[in-house]
Amino acid sequence: MTAPSNDDDRSLFTLIGELPDTISSLVRAEIDQIKAEVSYKVKHFGIGSGLVAGAAVVGIFLLFTLIITGIFALALVMPAWAAALTVSGALLLIIVILLWIAYINFKRGAEPLESIDSLKADLDALKGTGDYDRRY
């Protein structure tokens, strides 16, 4: 009668034979993770850049309205001056909101890649160096 085979009782030669496949699948998984993280960062940098461009366009409109506000103020026409200043204040508020959202997206995109550190730790473990539990 033969003993039931157990997957945990694989021979050393079987484990050594499986090592290249295990390493290549680990490297592929790490590369896929890096691709996903870089894609995430590029997305947020793109959103942030678009919002900064939008804020710049609104800033040009703000400049025009401030010029018109100055003209109306010099002419001492109070209702026109007050209206132009109100429009300038609204445009300034839009610029501040767009720049705040852009800042948040740039901050998200600037977070360090976790996969790079994980890949370095995997390579160190493969070489037998680094910080991990060693048994002698």
Side-chain angles (χ1 to χ4, degrees):
M1 186 162 153
T2 61
S5 68
N6 189 350
D7 288 338
D8 293 336
D9 293 336
R10 294 180 288 183
S11 71
L12 178 64
F13 294 114
T14 304
L15 292 174
I16 291 174
E18 293 173 357
L19 189 60
D21 292 333
T22 304
I23 291 172
S24 67
S25 64
L26 175 67
V27 169
R28 268 188 253 117
E30 292 289 344
I31 289 172
D32 290 341
Q33 180 67 25
I34 291 170
K35 285 180 186 177
E37 287 183 20
V38 169
S39 173
Y40 176 81
K41 289 181 179 300
V42 168
K43 173 186 162 191
H44 284 287
F45 274 119
I47 290 170
S49 298
L51 291 171
V52 168
V57 168
V58 175
I60 292 170
F61 289 119
L62 174 65
L63 179 63
F64 292 147
T65 57
L66 286 174
I67 291 171
I68 292 171
T69 302
I71 293 169
F72 286 141
L74 291 175
L76 295 175
V77 179
M78 189 54 112
W81 178 83
L85 189 59
T86 302
V87 170
S88 296
L91 290 173
L92 182 62
L93 182 64
I94 291 170
I95 290 171
V96 168
I97 290 170
L98 290 175
L99 288 174
W100 179 67
I101 294 170
Y103 170 76
I104 290 172
N105 278 286
F106 281 133
K107 194 173 176 182
R108 284 181 187 161
E111 293 173 354
L113 293 175
E114 295 174 10
S115 297
I116 298 293
D117 294 335
S118 174
L119 185 59
K120 286 179 183 177
D122 292 344
L123 290 174
D124 286 344
L126 184 63
K127 291 183 215 174
T129 61
D131 296 329
Y132 62 95
D133 188 18
R134 294 185 185 188
R135 295 182 185 170
Y136 291 104

